[in-house]
Amino acid sequence: MYRSFYKLHGKPFSLLPDPAFFYISGKHRKALAKLRSGILNRAGITLITGEIGSGKTTLIQHLIHELESDVTIGLINNIHPRFDDLLEWVLQAFEIEVADTSDVKLHRAFVSFVKDQTTQGRTALLFVDEAQNMSAHVLEELRMLMNINVDYPSFQIVLAGQPELRDILERPDMRQFAQRIAVEHHLQSLDAEETEKYIKHRLAVAGGDPDLFDSEACELIFQHSQGVPRLVNSLCDTVLEYGYEEKKEIIDGALVRDILNDRRDGQLLALGEYDYSPKGTQMPDTDRAIPFREPAPRKPTRSLDDVLKTLSESLD
C-alpha cells in the first residue's frame, strides 16, 4: 500500500470532499469572501457556480464549519433530475418533523420555524448543492419560499451548481428568481502554480513529504487536469499507486508521462492526443508545453447584472 511506503497517515488525494484537506487558493479565498459577505449582509439568495470537480462542495463544507453558532444550517445535497417535493426536502434539511405532510401543514411548519428563528435572533441558512439539477418549476418554488422574509427576515439560501445553472437562470421565465440573487460568484479552476501548491498542501496534511512530486510532474498533472481539483486528485492517486509499484522515492515527470501514455486510449481521464514519451521518440518537441485536448467551447460566463440588464432592455 502506497500510504505506508510514502509515510502517509491518510489518503491525500481522495475524491470525496474533505474539509481537513481544503486548500485555500486565491480563487477559493475570493469565493469564500463572497459567500461570507452574502451571509453577513443577509442576502436573500447567494449563488456560486463552478465546473465539475472545482471544489464547490468542499468550499461549502469549509464554510459550514466556520459559521457562528447563531446560524441554523440546512443542507440539501442529493438533488437529481427528478427532484420534487421541495418543501418536504427543506423541512428534512432543517430536521423539522411534521406528522401531516399536506402542503398546507408543511408550509405552516416552515413558517413557524422561520418565525421562531427570527424571534431568537438566529439565521436559517439553507445550502443547496448541485442546484443545476433543479427544474425551473422547483426553482420557482424555492423563490416563493423567500417571500416569508417579508414578515420574518431570517431565511437565506446559498445555491451551488455547475455552469448550467446560470444557463437556466438566464432564461426570461427565470428573471424573477434572478432578481432575488444578491451575491454571485463563479469559481475558477487552479492555475499551474496553484496546482503545484495544492499537491504539496495535500501531501503535507496527510503527513507526507510536500516535495514528493517534482516540478515537472506537477506541470504535467496541471496540463492534463486543467487545474480542476477532482481531476488532480484522480491523477495523483494513480501516480502514487504506480510510484509504489516501482518503489519510486520521488515522483518525477518521467513516471507521470509513462502513466499518461498507459492510460491514453479508452480511458475516462481526459488526456491529450499525443504520446508522452521522452524526447527523441514519438513526440519530438517536448520542451514546449504538453498539448492537451481542448474542452468543448462554452459561451463566456455572464454576470447576473448583465443578464438582468438584457432582460430589462428586452422588456422596454
Side-chain angles (χ1 to χ4, degrees):
M1 183 63 185
Y2 73 70
R3 285 171 52 182
S4 176
F5 181 76
Y6 290 115
K7 299 179 175 59
L8 302 166
H9 57 63
K11 192 173 182 179
F13 300 107
S14 171
L15 297 183
L16 298 177
D18 187 345
F21 284 89
F22 183 50
Y23 169 66
I24 306 180
S25 69
K27 297 178 177 66
H28 288 84
R29 187 174 291 109
K30 185 176 181 179
L32 274 173
K34 284 291 190 74
L35 288 170
R36 292 179 184 128
S37 173
I39 294 170
L40 289 174
N41 293 314
R42 292 184 175 272
I45 300 176
T46 298
L47 172 69
I48 180 166
T49 56
E51 295 291 346
I52 299 172
S54 60
K56 301 181 297 298
T57 299
T58 304
L59 192 74
I60 287 174
Q61 290 183 351
H62 178 84
L63 181 63
I64 287 175
H65 279 80
E66 72 170 28
L67 287 173
E68 300 293 337
S69 58
D70 60 351
V71 178
T72 301
I73 296 168
L75 174 62
I76 301 176
N77 59 3
N78 52 356
I79 296 174
H80 48 80
R82 297 180 63 184
F83 181 88
D84 207 347
D85 301 320
L86 174 68
L87 195 49
E88 289 187 40
W89 284 94
V90 171
L91 294 180
Q92 181 177 320
F94 285 113
E95 299 181 352
I96 303 170
E97 296 184 1
V98 182
D100 187 341
T101 58
S102 66
D103 290 343
V104 173
K105 294 294 184 180
L106 291 174
H107 189 264
R108 284 180 180 175
F110 180 68
V111 171
S112 178
F113 164 73
V114 176
K115 178 180 178 180
D116 185 57
Q117 296 294 302
T118 303
T119 301
Q120 297 180 40
R122 301 179 60 83
T123 296
L125 180 57
L126 178 66
F127 288 91
V128 181
D129 201 1
E130 301 296 340
Q132 77 280 348
N133 289 329
M134 281 184 161
S135 66
H137 170 71
V138 174
L139 284 169
E140 177 62 14
E141 287 187 27
L142 196 60
R143 183 189 71 82
M144 294 297 291
L145 279 183
M146 294 301 301
N147 291 337
I148 196 172
N149 281 342
V150 174
D151 297 314
Y152 310 111
S154 62
F155 178 49
Q156 294 178 251
I157 298 172
V158 174
L159 287 180
Q162 297 167 23
E164 290 79 6
L165 178 58
R166 286 175 175 266
D167 296 337
I168 296 173
L169 297 178
E170 288 178 7
R171 289 165 31 180
D173 61 315
M174 295 302 299
R175 63 180 181 271
Q176 290 189 11
F177 190 100
Q179 289 170 357
R180 294 291 186 96
I181 298 174
V183 178
E184 55 98 7
H185 183 74
H186 183 75
L187 180 61
Q188 301 287 344
S189 300
L190 305 175
D191 60 27
E193 181 180 357
E194 290 169 334
T195 299
E196 183 167 355
K197 290 180 178 179
Y198 173 88
I199 293 170
K200 292 178 181 293
H201 169 80
R202 293 188 75 103
L203 286 167
V205 172
D209 179 4
D211 297 319
L212 177 59
F213 287 63
D214 72 12
S215 294
E216 184 185 5
C218 292
E219 174 64 21
L220 283 166
I221 289 168
F222 165 72
Q223 289 282 347
H224 299 283
S225 66
Q226 293 295 280
V228 176
R230 186 179 299 167
L231 296 181
V232 173
N233 286 2
S234 177
L235 186 50
C236 284
D237 188 63
T238 300
V239 168
L240 287 176
E241 291 178 358
Y242 275 67
Y244 166 68
E245 291 296 330
E246 298 186 17
K247 299 299 184 286
K248 300 272 286 188
E249 294 185 0
I250 294 294
I251 303 298
D252 57 18
L255 176 63
V256 176
R257 189 177 288 108
D258 286 344
I259 293 168
L260 293 173
N261 275 326
D262 288 346
R263 301 188 64 184
R264 184 180 60 167
D265 297 325
Q267 298 295 326
L268 292 177
L269 182 64
L271 300 179
E273 306 224 359
Y274 299 86
D275 184 27
Y276 304 99
S277 303
K279 190 173 181 180
T281 57
Q282 299 181 42
M283 186 175 176
D285 191 8
T286 53
D287 291 334
R288 294 183 298 176
I290 305 298
F292 56 88
R293 181 183 293 116
E294 292 286 353
R298 178 188 297 280
K299 62 183 178 180
T301 300
R302 301 168 60 197
S303 70
L304 286 172
D305 288 339
D306 292 337
V307 175
L308 294 176
K309 181 179 179 180
T310 301
L311 290 173
S312 176
E313 290 174 351
S314 68
L315 294 174
D316 290 341

